[in-house]
Structure formats: C-alpha cells, structure tokens
Amino acid sequence: MSALENDPGLEEDRGARRLTLVMGVLGGAALMALMLVTVVDVVGRNIIDVTVIGAYELSELAVGLIVAAGLPLVALRSDHVHIDMALPLLKGWLRRLQQPMALIVTALAEGVVAWQVWVQAVLATDTQRTTSMLHLPVSPVLYITAILFGVSALLTIVHALRKIAARGEASEGSAT
C-alpha cells in the first residue's frame, strides 16, 4: 500500500453518513439539473431551432455546486489525488511527515478558497449581483460554495491530525 492510503475512520461516524447523504443529494440534484438543461437545450436547438434561455448560466451554477458538493466527500474519505513522486526520495522522519504536511497544505488551500469565495459572496450580496440573462442572484451559490470548501478544509485538517496522532502512537509502540 502507498504511504498515502485513505483514512476510513471518519466515514463510520453517523454525522459523516449524514454529510455524505446531503452532499450526494445536492451534487446529484445539480448534476441532474445540468443534464436536463443540456439535453433540452441540445434537442431544442437541433430539432425545433430554439435554445434554452440562460442555459449557459444554469450550467455554470450547477457545475459550481457539483464541485463544491463533491469536495467534502473527497475530504471525508481523505481521497484527494496525490502523486508519490518525491516519496521514494524521502527518508526517516521526512517520509513520516510527508502525508500529514500534504494534508495540512491542502486544508490551507481549501481554507483560502473558502475565505475568498465568502468575500465574493458578500460582495455579490452587497451589489445584488445576478446572472445576466435570467437575473438569478449569484450570492446563494457563492455562500454554499464557501461553506462547503470550509467544511472540506476542516475535514482535511482532521485527517491530518489523525495521521499525526497515528504516527505518534506507532512511534510510542515501537519505542517500548
């Protein structure tokens, strides 16, 4: 197994199952809406020469929600994409710290994205920004996205702390 194996511990939690259900429903609903809009738009354009007004805007909003809903699921399973290019070069304590440090950096990046999206959501609320064709408010999607990136950052930090604690327990066990 890779040194960057998944951490199944959080998946067994009751709250984690609820989060998985909510994120799955949110992401699934957004995906279904995206598919429906795309099918209706393509069929309408090719058969009766009529397009769905605002299809591009609806697609943008749906894709944003799909990504935002999927990220906490990835973080919950600690299933981030990773490349072990440097792992063979690391020895000893550096090798043991590589995964927790990578998770901490990932969590920081997710936290920065959450913060910046929140800033944009506040700005969109203050300026009452809407989509150009359908005049849908943008801020609710931005707030949801910011919150979900924040949840993802918290879950990633939890995994990093669990990895550090597991390494400490392994060290104590081998020292005795």
Side-chain angles (χ1 to χ4, degrees), residues 4-28:
L4 292 175
E5 61 194 20
N6 296 345
D7 181 3
L10 288 179
E11 292 179 50
E12 299 161 5
D13 186 330
R14 185 177 189 177
R17 286 194 301 269
R18 286 184 183 151
L19 178 67
T20 300
L21 177 65
V22 170
M23 293 303 100
V25 168
L26 177 63

Side-chain angles (χ1 to χ4, degrees), residues 24-35 58 61-66 69:
V25 168
L26 177 63
L31 182 59
M32 288 300 295
L34 176 64
M35 290 189 309
L58 292 172
L61 296 174
V63 168
L65 287 174
I66 292 166

Side-chain angles (χ1 to χ4, degrees), residues 72-156:
L73 295 176
V74 169
L76 184 65
R77 295 180 179 95
S78 192
D79 213 9
H80 298 89
V81 173
H82 58 270
I83 301 171
D84 291 341
M85 290 184 346
L87 199 57
L89 303 174
L90 300 175
K91 304 290 182 221
W93 64 273
L94 281 174
R95 188 177 187 122
R96 288 189 300 275
L97 283 180
Q98 186 266 341
Q99 185 179 17
M101 292 308 295
L103 287 170
I104 289 169
V105 169
T106 300
L108 287 173
E110 292 167 340
V112 167
V113 170
W115 165 50
Q116 287 301 304
V117 173
W118 189 270
V119 168
Q120 290 301 313
V122 169
L123 183 62
T125 300
D126 291 345
T127 60
Q128 298 179 348
R129 188 173 3 155
T130 62
T131 60
S132 58
M133 295 287 293
L134 299 175
H135 303 291
L136 298 172
V138 175
S139 58
V141 173
L142 292 174
Y143 281 120
I144 291 168
T145 301
I147 289 167
L148 294 178
F149 266 84
V151 167
S152 181
L154 291 174
L155 290 170
T156 303

